[in-house]
Amino acid sequence: MKVIKIDKKDWAKGIKALHKAYGLIGPVKEKEYFTFQVLSGGTIPDLEFRNTRLSPKAVVFPQSEDMFEYSLDDSREDHHLLKEVEKDYSPRVVFGIRPCDAKALELVKMNFDTDEYKDPYWLNLYEATTFVGMACDSPCSTCFCTTAGTGPYHEEGLDVLMADNGDSYLAKLLTDKGEKLATSAGWADSAGKSDVLAAKKTAAEAKIVSTVSTEALSGKDALELYNADFWEDVSFACINCGTCTYVCPTCWCFDIQDEVHGKSGKRMRTWDSCMFPIFTVHTTGHNPRATKLQRVRQRFMHKLKYFVDKYDKGIMCVGCGRCVRQCPVNIDIRRVCETMNSFGSDNTCAVQSS
Amino acid sequence: MDNPYLPFQVRIDDIIVESEDNNLKTFKFVFLNKEDEVKFNYSAGQFAELSIPGKGEIPIGIASSPVEKGFLKFTINKAGVVTTHLHNMKVGDIMGIRGPMGNWFPWSTFEGKNILIVGGGFAFTTLRSSIIYLLDPANRSKFGNIDVVYGARTPGMLLYKDELVEWEKRDDINVHITVDNSDDPDWKYNVGFVPPITEEKAPQGGSDSYAIVCGPPIMIKFTQPVLEKLGYDHDHIYLSLENRMKCGIGMCGRCGIGKELVCKDGPVFTLTEINKTPREY
Ligand SMILES: Cc1cc2nc3c(=O)[nH]c(=O)nc-3n(C[C@H](O)[C@H](O)[C@H](O)COP(=O)(O)OP(=O)(O)OC[C@H]3O[C@@H](n4cnc5c(N)ncnc54)[C@H](O)[C@@H]3O)c2cc1C
Ligand code: SF4
Ligand code: SF4
Ligand code: FES
């Protein structure tokens, strides 16, 4: 695989060239936080960021997206007929996505790309996008990617992996899409035979000190975990705000709603959350997950057990730590994961285990 | 890429009021584009999303049968926003249908076997689809004995009354109709809840018999021990589940019970399968 060197002096020039061939998306600082946004013509992506509060999942899965439009005006020939909304699926590139977030999209893809059905909205945006990752040399204290199936230099789901190397960036071109992007940007200097990337990878991995154990999860009985006493402790403080699901790169649940203004309407979809009671309530008023305990349990069981059993591809969590940092009551998936993983052995108290 | 969220366009062709309280109506739909009927190739037990622009979509079991051609039928209980709107719509109105969705009763497994069908309330819809399928001259000889226990609150709440009367008269199906209580002095069928009537009338189970159960949760709960007593194994008992749904195609994550999605892995499950889930329905 080709590794190229991009002199930081040439960075802006390459980006200018890319603005012609691609739509550019990258981290943008808004007040004190970075978010992933479309970069207007000429803007240079700022790669001097730590992690974003929201994951970049909206790049392929917008928080709210129009699906169809229609007219309710009976005098029109096409009244009450749904029509596809015109979409822009021209090539786009996202700069600065973290390896953990790219891996998260690979996990989510298993949900949207199945043998029976393909979700056109998610997949079209995904296919149109070239993912240029930024390796992570200074992780947060809450990052536990290396034991969650990914890592600071992980390549899965990326087309290019970039790393900061002082005056230059090193960029590993991982796919044809990645090669094409480098060509369009005019980045062609070979980095030569160097093991700088490998050394940086080892150093970065060593900095991730927070871990989870997951090896015993698949062997546990799902119903025994479900019925375990520890959910009372785990869920006690949760206020069902849904923050954890909104910031999570691997959460994909959505709602579909019709919105009407006058005689014209839209069918759209929006992110939804299993943390909200309304998510599952039947029209009869019956709610299979009416209590907070049931909903908190659903989130963790889905990520750490049901998903593991269904796909045999590890946990539905990439260790980005966002939910840990942003939960207002400090519910920590690492502790819950340990509790589940060691369930049945002596230590099962979520509050005390570490 | 086909868009699985895009409904087929249909027109309401007929509306039949089914129940004395006017809350249950059967809607007959025809496809605006004839070739869509071929694409909508379904089996008895499946459901579809009825799609009303401006209001939303609702998952509804298919009440017509694959052996009935040229139309689709759904029986709908007036409950909330979309169902109420539908109840106010008229013959000729245009709307959409997405589907067919979910799995179905395993008809090939049932071949050569006896089938007991137990239904309560308006969950009888896909069971009607099943019975019409089984009684079709091309299919009837493939199956053993067919018994049906069907109950509603009152005689006026029974669905498909004309067909029930017709099935009653046939000798290739045993129909046991019951009502919780009857205000009709001429009522000549059973009075009592579905579980005890099943215990009294249904044939013994065994390796050559399967049971299909659809109904409100309370009926299912009390029918289960009756079927066990009659000798139906858990993997010979099929149930059709309901959960709140949106996409109907396994994408939106709403209808999960453990690792199973009711919309895609179900709605039909054996009791053995359901017992392995947290039963969050
Ligand atoms: C597999 C299956 C088969 C079924 N078969 C039948 C059948 O044959 N006959 C039958 O009568 N019923 C059937 N049902 C039940 C039927 O789907 C529900 O009764 C129906 O969805 C109720 O819709 P409604 O709009 O009337 O109710 P509402 O409670 O008003 O809501 C339904 C829809 O409105 C929207 N909505 C309303 N309130 C909210 C809110 N607060 N937040 C977000 N969205 C909201 C949502 O889009 C929601 O899906 C079946 C259900 C399933 C799962
Ligand atoms: S962020 Fe914390 S409090 Fe909010 S729903 Fe998630 S676990 Fe509960
Ligand atoms: S569950 Fe938490 S740590 Fe895991 S991927 Fe989601 S937000 Fe990140
Ligand atoms: S209804 Fe969307 S996953 Fe089942």
Side-chain angles (χ1 to χ4, degrees):
Chain A
M1 227 161 290
K2 200 153 108 195
V3 180
I4 57 169
K5 193 175 122 198
I6 308 167
D7 206 301
K8 285 190 183 170
K9 291 204 297 282
D10 297 336
W11 176 240
K13 203 171 95 199
I15 295 295
K16 281 216 181 85
L18 287 178
H19 267 298
K20 296 201 185 88
Y22 293 85
L24 266 56
I25 301 166
V28 172
K29 195 168 187 178
E30 263 191 348
K31 296 196 184 118
E32 43 187 317
Y33 301 104
F34 282 90
T35 55
F36 281 85
Q37 288 181 13
V38 174
L39 306 174
S40 50
T43 315
I44 310 298
D46 177 356
L47 297 181
E48 299 299 316
F49 71 107
R50 268 190 151 193
N51 290 345
T52 50
R53 285 193 304 172
L54 278 173
S55 87
K57 71 177 167 189
V59 167
V60 289
F61 183 41
Q63 180 161 358
S64 161
E65 177 171 21
D66 292 346
M67 305 169 82
F68 302 103
E69 50 197 11
Y70 45 80
S71 167
L72 301 179
D73 180 353
D74 288 340
S75 67
R76 283 175 59 139
E77 184 104 344
D78 61 353
H79 70 92
H80 289 89
L81 298 181
L82 298 191
K83 287 209 268 325
E84 307 232 23
V85 174
E86 222 169 290
K87 301 269 179 179
D88 178 9
Y89 294 127
S90 56
R92 51 220 277 279
V93 49
V94 50
F95 280 103
I97 186 170
R98 292 296 186 201
C100 57
D101 290 334
K103 161 83 188 227
L105 291 178
E106 291 292 290
L107 297 178
V108 172
K109 189 166 187 275
M110 294 194 279
N111 181 66
F112 286 121
D113 186 3
T114 67
D115 291 344
E116 302 92 331
Y117 301 103
K118 313 251 174 246
D119 186 286
Y121 306 103
W122 197 96
L123 286 169
N124 282 331
L125 279 179
Y126 184 82
E127 295 303 335
T129 310
T130 301
F131 296 93
V132 179
M134 189 64 198
C136 212
D137 291 320
S138 40
C140 307
S141 60
T142 44
C143 291
F144 56 102
C145 52
T146 48
T147 46
T150 166
Y153 277 67
H154 199 78
E155 296 170 359
E156 231 177 316
L158 288 175
D159 297 299
V160 179
L161 175 68
M162 284 176 57
D164 193 310
N165 196 29
D167 294 338
S168 64
Y169 295 115
L170 294 174
K172 193 169 181 183
L173 309 181
L174 300 161
T175 63
D176 291 349
K177 263 187 182 174
E179 299 253 6
K180 217 171 132 199
L181 179 97
T183 310
S184 302
W187 293 323
D189 291 354
S190 166
K193 268 211 168 49
S194 141
D195 36 20
V196 180
L197 266 186
K200 283 178 73 71
K201 175 173 192 254
T202 312
E205 282 173 357
K207 285 190 199 161
I208 311 256
V209 289
S210 177
T211 60
V212 289
S213 323
T214 59
E215 75 295 334
L217 289 170
S218 67
K220 305 276 178 203
D221 183 274
L223 285 184
E224 281 175 23
L225 276 178
Y226 179 90
N227 289 315
D229 291 334
F230 61 72
W231 296 115
E232 191 68 53
D233 284 335
V234 168
S235 62
F236 177 73
C238 176
I239 56 170
N240 271 171
C241 64
T243 301
C244 49
T245 53
Y246 274 56
V247 300
C248 178
T250 66
C251 277
W252 67 69
C253 288
F254 62 88
D255 190 14
I256 301 176
Q257 290 286 339
D258 280 45
E259 210 176 74
V260 178
H261 295 285
K263 291 267 174 205
S264 62
K266 275 179 187 165
R267 180 160 296 163
M268 51 195 255
R269 72 171 175 193
T270 58
W271 294 353
D272 206 344
S273 172
C274 60
M275 285 302 190
F276 302 150
I278 212 172
F279 189 65
T280 46
V281 70
H282 294 198
T283 307
T284 54
H286 165 67
N287 192 345
R289 289 200 286 272
T291 69
K292 167 173 88 174
L293 182 148
Q294 291 169 318
R295 296 191 289 275
V296 171
R297 174 172 59 194
Q298 165 66 15
R299 171 165 171 260
F300 289 117
M301 284 293 281
H302 188 203
K303 289 193 174 299
L304 305 174
K305 180 60 184 168
Y306 304 149
F307 184 88
V308 173
D309 289 352
K310 181 162 178 164
Y311 295 107
D312 193 22
K313 287 274 196 298
I315 55 176
M316 186 185 133
C317 165
V318 292
C320 74
R322 287 187 179 89
C323 60
V324 180
R325 284 195 299 282
Q326 294 174 72
C327 173
V329 299
N330 294 324
I331 292 176
D332 189 330
I333 190 169
R334 294 170 299 180
R335 281 210 292 268
V336 179
C337 189
E338 291 304 329
T339 306
M340 288 173 68
N341 193 63
S342 62
F343 178 67
S345 32
D346 25 330
N347 185 1
T348 53
C349 175
V351 180
Q352 281 161 21
S353 67
S354 55
Chain B
M1 205 179 303
D2 277 347
N3 187 341
Y5 299 99
L6 182 67
F8 297 120
Q9 298 163 358
V10 295
R11 181 170 43 79
I12 302 177
D13 195 46
D14 195 12
I15 302 173
I16 302 142
V17 178
E18 294 280 357
S19 61
E20 62 189 2
D21 67 355
N22 284 331
N23 268 344
L24 288 161
K25 286 184 183 172
T26 295
F27 293 79
K28 188 173 161 194
F29 297 99
V30 291
F31 291 94
L32 291 191
N33 306 307
K34 259 286 148 233
E35 58 287 3
D36 289 345
E37 193 189 336
V38 182
K39 292 190 205 150
F40 196 101
N41 177 19
Y42 67 103
S43 296
Q46 288 190 282
F47 71 97
E49 288 276 350
L50 304 195
S51 171
I52 303 180
K55 293 292 167 189
E57 294 188 314
I58 48 170
I60 302 288
I62 306 172
S64 52
S65 186
V67 295
E68 299 172 307
K69 301 293 177 196
F71 60 89
L72 294 175
K73 268 185 185 177
F74 298 85
T75 301
I76 290 146
N77 178 41
K78 187 166 140 191
V81 175
V82 180
T83 51
T84 303
H85 184 86
L86 191 56
H87 267 246
N88 292 330
M89 285 172 70
K90 297 180 300 295
V91 170
D93 284 349
I94 305 292
M95 50 179 276
I97 294 181
R98 283 199 293 133
M101 284 160 179
N103 65 354
W104 50 90
F105 300 114
W107 300 113
S108 52
T109 306
F110 292 171
E111 281 189 17
K113 313 287 183 186
N114 304 320
I115 305 173
L116 167 64
I117 294 175
V118 183
F122 62 87
F124 195 62
T125 56
T126 57
L127 298 181
R128 178 210 176 255
S129 173
S130 302
I131 293 166
I132 300 281
Y133 171 77
L134 290 168
L135 293 181
D136 188 72
N139 295 329
R140 182 62 192 93
S141 60
K142 291 189 223 159
F143 301 94
N145 298 331
I146 302 173
D147 280 77
V148 178
V149 181
Y150 170 40
R153 267 180 285 138
T154 60
M157 293 303 289
L158 288 163
L159 298 178
Y160 320 126
K161 286 181 217 39
D162 296 346
E163 286 171 332
L164 287 175
V165 169
E166 211 180 290
W167 297 337
E168 262 284 323
K169 293 188 201 133
R170 295 175 69 127
D171 56 7
D172 57 354
I173 180 168
N174 306 310
V175 181
H176 314 283
I177 303 169
T178 184
V179 291
D180 296 354
N181 44 61
S182 174
D183 41 17
D184 174 1
D186 299 327
W187 179 249
K188 52 180 193 257
Y189 307 106
N190 304 288
V191 176
F193 294 125
V194 167
I197 299 296
T198 305
E199 185 161 9
E200 195 182 309
K201 305 279 180 180
Q204 291 288 314
S207 60
D208 281 335
S209 300
Y210 285 88
I212 303 176
V213 186
C214 292
I218 186 87
M219 185 207 94
I220 290 179
K221 188 173 161 202
F222 288 106
T223 304
Q224 185 180 324
V226 169
L227 292 177
E228 284 166 2
K229 215 153 104 190
L230 286 169
Y232 290 84
D233 284 341
H234 284 184
D235 59 353
H236 279 228
I237 300 175
Y238 284 82
L239 299 168
S240 188
L241 302 186
E242 283 186 16
N243 247 355
R244 184 171 178 145
M245 293 182 180
K246 283 286 164 161
C247 70
I249 55 173
M251 303 278 179
C252 77
R254 187 171 308 268
C255 65
I257 43 166
K259 72 178 170 55
E260 317 291 342
L261 293 165
V262 174
C263 69
K264 194 173 162 199
D265 304 314
V268 174
F269 295 94
T270 65
L271 192 50
T272 308
E273 290 165 337
I274 292 173
N275 285 339
K276 287 188 201 140
T277 77
R279 307 193 83 146
E280 284 180 334
Y281 52 85

